[in-house]
Amino acid sequence: MRRRLTFLVAGVTSAVVVAFLIPLGLLLRTLAEDRAIAVATTQAQTLLAVAGGETSLQPLPPTVKNLIGDRPEGRTALYLPSTPVDDPLVARARARHESFIRRGTPTVVYATAFDKPDGALVVRTEIDGATLHQGVMRVTLTVAGLGLLLLVAAVLAADRMARRITAPLHQLAVSADAMREGPLDTQVPEEGPPEVVAVAVALNRLAARVRQLLSSERDAVADLSHRLRTPVTALKLDTEFVEERDVAERLRGHVNQLERTVDAIVHDARRPSRSGQMTATSCDVGRVVAERVAFWSALAEDQGRPLRLALPERPLRARLDGADLSDVVDVLIDNIFAHTDDGVPVEIWVVPRADGAVVLTVEDAGPGLPSVDIINRGKSNKGSTGLGLDIVRRAALASGGSLELGRSRLGGALVRLVLGRADE
């Protein structure tokens, strides 16, 4: 924007300067020509007055010779009544007793007088091009220099004005990007033109409103978690008093599903306050995954579930916070344990990609995903809300990666998480 404003002012100023210089140059040329012609006419009339006052012009008196002289800027000739002429314009001036100017290259001034009884005197003064346009080039260059100076001054003033406008806008964009990354307490400097100040004030008010809404959301989530856990715990206790075993197992399964759903909702609601910080740190993917698999291995052993893990020999860092990656691994493993039968094997792979990204793959031999649309909110498929995979997807996107769902080579679900490479 700054460059465009500068170019715009430079273009407009150049057009104005050129539109001013061309007519001015033509005017200076015309004034110089009129001045040279006026000087030549005055000299011719002076010569006629002096020659007319002499009683005899044979030979030419010294006063007349001095006036004719040897002029380098032009030639002046005095034609006596008895002098033969081969110039038809001189003959015309003598015959018609008229004075006139022939413009061209060179310009010639013809002047005549009737003071002599034997005929008219004619003076022919020739003005060459250098004399006719004397001083025009110097004045034109001077005016052009002033125009160039005006252009430079206009460009400098435009650049300064554009900087004054664009600098607050750039700062505004930087602050907006900082807010997008998470710290909503960033204040936009309220400086610059009135319009920019108005935008900065509105953005600061918006950030304050978002902070207020996030604070209210966290309070509501905390209250929700306390309100829901009490009846869920009571339901779990009540299932212990159900005498029919099948009904009790079914009720416990429903209560466990309800508990996981509540946890996912609470976890997902708290995520916005941290999502902006996901890309600010990095972690060793292999180390985090190994820690979480070790945590879940005890439950896998109780369920007779083979849990195989393949990790790289060297550390692979991804642009994701370790706590967030732990949540992602917990969600993926918990989904398998919750939606597959005991004894279903699970395989987890961590491998590098050629572009530096890290690929985390989780496979199982269960029934597979009901639909790849399970991560869309509001889609309920066979008891799953899809909130856990939505958390995984948003974590992958925040790291600069992606989430792929499909069928594994074991016959069950395949979840492949691509994590962006950590900044060096």
Side-chain angles (χ1 to χ4, degrees):
M1 181 178 179
R2 173 183 173 185
R3 183 178 301 176
R4 291 181 179 179
L5 288 175
T6 304
F7 284 162
L8 176 61
V9 173
V12 173
T13 306
S14 300
V16 173
V17 170
V18 171
F20 174 74
L21 285 180
I22 293 177
L24 182 61
L26 296 176
L27 177 61
L28 290 175
R29 185 182 179 91
T30 302
L31 291 177
E33 292 176 356
D34 293 342
R35 180 199 61 191
I37 292 173
V39 171
T41 302
T42 301
Q43 292 176 350
Q45 291 175 350
T46 302
L47 179 58
L48 288 174
V50 173
E54 298 290 339
T55 57
S56 176
L57 296 175
Q58 297 292 342
L60 288 176
T63 55
V64 176
K65 288 183 177 181
N66 290 335
L67 289 174
I68 295 176
D70 185 14
R71 307 177 189 277
E73 69 278 6
R75 291 178 297 175
T76 302
L78 174 63
Y79 292 88
L80 303 176
S82 58
T83 303
V85 296
D86 54 0
D87 187 345
L89 295 179
V90 174
R92 168 188 163 186
R94 176 184 292 175
R96 298 182 181 180
H97 303 286
E98 64 176 345
S99 300
F100 56 88
I101 300 171
R102 190 200 70 185
R103 294 182 179 270
T105 306
T107 297
V108 183
V109 176
Y110 295 90
T112 183
F114 320 105
D115 297 327
K116 293 297 180 181
D118 52 349
L121 296 175
V122 178
V123 175
R124 180 183 181 275
T125 301
E126 182 177 311
I127 311 171
D128 58 16
T131 304
L132 193 65
H133 303 117
Q134 184 178 4
V136 174
M137 182 60 67
R138 183 179 68 254
V139 176
T140 301
L141 291 177
T142 301
V143 175
L146 293 176
L148 181 61
L149 183 62
L150 175 63
L151 176 61
V152 173
V155 169
L156 293 178
D159 182 72
R160 183 175 181 181
M161 180 183 65
R163 189 186 306 115
R164 183 174 178 269
I165 295 175
T166 57
L169 288 176
H170 177 71
Q171 184 61 39
L172 187 66
V174 170
S175 301
D177 284 338
M179 291 181 182
R180 181 182 63 86
E181 294 298 330
L184 295 176
D185 55 348
T186 302
Q187 287 293 317
V188 180
E190 299 176 1
E191 56 186 18
E195 295 80 4
V196 178
V197 171
V199 175
V201 171
L203 187 59
N204 287 333
R205 291 177 178 174
L206 176 62
R209 178 58 177 166
V210 172
R211 290 195 299 269
Q212 180 183 1
L213 291 177
L214 286 177
S215 178
S216 300
E217 178 189 4
R218 286 191 291 269
D219 294 340
V221 167
D223 182 68
L224 176 65
S225 62
H226 287 293
R227 288 174 179 269
L228 291 179
R229 288 188 185 278
T230 300
V232 169
T233 303
L235 286 175
K236 292 181 67 175
L237 294 176
D238 290 340
T239 58
E240 301 296 333
F241 298 99
V242 177
E243 297 180 356
E244 296 185 16
R245 183 175 180 180
D246 293 339
V247 176
E249 290 294 333
R250 187 168 62 253
L251 289 177
R252 276 194 290 269
H254 292 329
V255 172
N256 290 334
Q257 177 64 35
L258 176 60
E259 187 176 20
R260 284 192 295 269
T261 301
V262 171
D263 291 340
I265 292 174
V266 173
H267 191 282
D268 184 61
R270 287 176 176 174
R271 177 68 59 176
S273 63
R274 300 175 58 194
S275 60
Q277 303 173 1
M278 286 184 180
T279 59
T281 58
S282 63
C283 68
D284 183 356
V285 178
R287 182 183 61 81
V288 175
V289 172
E291 291 177 355
R292 300 319 301 162
V293 170
F295 173 81
W296 288 93
S297 60
L299 180 59
E301 184 178 353
D302 292 341
Q303 296 181 356
R305 186 187 301 271
L307 181 59
R308 290 185 288 272
L309 175 64
L311 297 176
E313 296 180 356
R314 61 183 180 87
L316 297 178
R317 302 197 66 83
R319 189 170 54 182
L320 189 67
D321 184 74
D324 294 314
L325 182 57
S326 297
D327 294 341
V328 167
V329 177
D330 288 343
V331 166
L332 294 177
I333 298 178
D334 180 65
N335 280 345
I336 295 176
F337 283 27
H339 301 293
T340 61
D341 297 331
D342 294 350
V344 172
V346 180
E347 293 186 0
I348 301 176
W349 306 78
V350 177
V351 295
R353 208 167 66 173
D355 59 356
V358 182
V359 180
L360 170 61
T361 304
V362 179
E363 300 179 88
D364 64 68
L369 296 174
S371 171
V372 294
D373 293 332
I374 192 174
I375 60 176
N376 293 332
R377 293 191 178 215
K379 301 287 185 179
S380 179
N381 297 287
K382 295 184 179 181
S384 174
T385 63
L387 290 172
L389 288 179
D390 184 52
I391 294 173
V392 175
R393 178 184 62 84
R394 289 193 289 117
L397 295 178
S399 71
S402 61
L403 174 65
E404 301 175 14
L405 303 178
R407 180 165 293 277
S408 72
R409 57 186 178 82
L410 301 178
L414 167 68
V415 179
R416 179 173 290 112
L417 188 67
V418 179
L419 303 175
R421 181 180 60 183
D423 296 331
E424 299 295 338

